[in-house]
Amino acid sequence: MNCALRIVYMGTPDFAVEPLKKLLDSGYNVVGVVTMPDKAIGRHHDTLQPSPVKKFYMEQHLDEKGVRLLQPEKLKDEAFLEELRSLQADLQIVVAFRMLPEVVWGMPPMGTFNLHTALLPQYRGAAPMNWAIINGDKETGVTTFFLDHDIDTGRIIMQDRTPIHETDNVEDIHDRLMMMGSDLVLKTVRAIEEGTATSVPQEQFITDEPLRHAPKIFKETCQIDWKAGMAYVYNFVRGLSPYPAAWSTLVTPDGKRQDVKIYKTHKETTGQQTNEVGSVITDGKTLKVAVEDGFIVIDELQVAGKKRMAVADYLRGARIPDGSCFE
């Protein structure tokens, strides 16, 4: 049992549950879990929904095992800071949480490290998995690094790599990196505990390849640019599938407009393209969209008020008039 090292773990979504589970299963002494406050949901915002990390905490009865749960509204709140100090953590671990102020990340004597879902210094930012796929990368990975003053710029401790396959979407990469990241968190903790961990400035990882960033994704970010070409549109769709999902507006000849989420496509190369970019071609069973260098064939979509479905199922109950287009 690894009872000497006192760890505070910080995380919120599903992605952060698996590393916490692995630490506990490996016998590490997690003395505190920090997660987001419960979220108000429902029509009247009268129901509180705990984060996945809190759900795991409650399901595992960690309170009965002496693990403290903290859900601060503000990370600089003195009451929270005092409670955090009282845990006397040697090390803090952050997985998919929030930007921490120095008063928090600088608290433990062994430091605070973060798990990032990219091969830093590439893809600093909020959405690295999405942007790696959107940009057509063939490889991604996970990085552990010590937190510093600027976001995602701290000294790198360890990295692990995995290929991005041609058919991977962001859900595939999410699940793969979640398991890889859990293993890397455990390896990093062991190295820190044993005193064998080394950390390297990110500048030593910079090559001639331009640095790519991973800004937060908003609804407008997800609108498809059909003029960008077949490869880009294909990667764009899978880089946002299943969430938040790429979308485009279908416009019929009579001026009706409908936003459509697109989850899965494949490429059809034709060489010379004579159809106008964005124009829709359908035979009642298949649906494809003209791009400069061929067609993007839509396999799965969702229209407002309907569930996600295969295109063949959608076309059984919907007719798309000739001359329709995506804009």
Side-chain angles (χ1 to χ4, degrees):
M1 295 289 287
N2 305 285
C3 293
L5 189 68
R6 295 175 65 84
I7 296 171
V8 166
Y9 185 88
M10 303 182 181
T12 292
D14 287 317
F15 190 93
V17 172
E18 191 63 32
L20 175 58
K21 181 178 184 297
K22 182 146 285 192
L23 286 167
L24 293 167
D25 289 347
S26 299
Y28 276 100
N29 184 25
V30 177
V31 296
V33 171
V34 185
T35 191
M36 293 285 283
D38 294 0
K39 184 179 180 181
I41 61 170
R43 185 174 180 181
H44 302 291
H45 297 278
D46 54 358
T47 302
L48 292 178
Q49 182 182 66
S51 73
V53 163
K54 182 178 178 180
K55 287 180 184 176
F56 175 79
Y57 175 94
M58 295 187 297
E59 289 166 358
Q60 300 299 311
H61 304 288
L62 295 183
D63 56 331
E64 299 173 11
K65 300 173 184 177
V67 182
R68 193 94 57 82
L69 179 70
L70 286 73
Q71 294 181 272
E73 290 281 354
K74 297 180 180 179
L75 295 176
K76 291 184 178 180
D77 180 79
E78 192 53 46
F80 162 67
L81 293 174
E82 190 57 39
E83 192 170 11
L84 189 61
R85 287 189 197 100
S86 73
L87 296 176
Q88 298 181 309
D90 300 303
L91 177 69
Q92 291 177 159
I93 301 169
V94 181
V95 181
F97 187 50
R98 295 156 65 182
M99 181 179 174
L100 301 182
E102 184 175 2
V103 67
V104 173
W105 60 255
M107 194 177 291
M110 290 184 172
T112 299
F113 79 81
N114 180 262
L115 174 70
H116 190 71
T117 50
L119 297 170
L120 290 173
Q122 292 291 352
Y123 295 110
R124 294 167 177 162
M129 290 183 281
N130 304 91
W131 287 108
I133 299 173
I134 289 169
N135 289 330
D137 288 7
K138 303 300 182 186
E139 183 181 57
T140 186
V142 283
T143 302
T144 51
F145 69 97
F146 284 114
L147 291 189
D148 207 335
H149 292 92
D150 297 319
I151 297 175
D152 299 336
T153 60
R155 294 172 66 93
I156 290 174
I157 311 167
M158 293 183 180
Q159 289 188 328
D160 200 2
R161 298 168 179 267
T162 185
I164 299 176
H165 304 300
E166 173 72 10
T167 56
D168 282 338
N169 64 18
V170 76
E171 183 175 46
D172 299 321
I173 295 301
H174 171 281
D175 293 350
R176 197 179 308 153
L177 294 188
M178 180 174 65
M179 303 310 295
M180 287 176 56
S182 300
D183 291 337
L184 195 67
V185 164
L186 192 61
K187 285 169 59 178
T188 301
V189 172
R190 283 175 176 162
I192 291 172
E193 180 185 38
E194 293 166 1
T196 59
T198 58
S199 60
V200 180
Q202 290 193 26
E203 288 72 21
Q204 294 190 23
F205 287 77
I206 294 176
T207 65
D208 293 336
E209 184 181 357
L211 288 182
R212 290 176 165 176
H213 298 281
K216 188 174 181 179
I217 290 172
F218 300 94
K219 182 182 178 182
E220 55 269 25
T221 314
C222 301
Q223 185 172 9
I224 298 171
D225 178 7
W226 299 101
K227 294 185 175 73
M230 181 165 54
Y232 186 83
V233 173
Y234 173 75
N235 292 335
F236 189 80
V237 169
R238 65 194 184 100
L240 296 168
S241 180
Y243 182 83
W247 64 274
S248 188
T249 302
L250 180 65
V251 183
T252 59
D254 61 0
K256 291 182 180 177
R257 304 168 64 85
Q258 183 175 48
D259 288 347
V260 179
K261 290 183 177 180
I262 299 174
Y263 293 94
K264 186 176 181 182
T265 68
H266 66 271
K267 296 176 284 188
E268 184 179 303
T269 305
T270 60
Q272 187 66 33
Q273 174 60 268
T274 58
N275 295 278
E276 185 177 350
V277 169
S279 58
V280 173
I281 294 92
T282 180
D283 59 4
K285 297 180 180 178
T286 60
L287 178 63
K288 57 188 182 181
V289 186
V291 289
E292 287 184 357
D293 45 352
F295 293 100
I296 290 291
V297 184
I298 300 176
D299 299 313
E300 294 180 19
L301 52 68
Q302 182 179 19
V303 297
K306 302 287 185 180
K307 64 180 182 179
R308 174 178 172 177
M309 65 181 75
V311 160
D313 295 332
Y314 168 71
L315 291 174
R316 286 193 191 99
R319 178 181 172 274
I320 299 178
D322 292 341
S324 298
C325 66
F326 279 110
E327 67 173 28

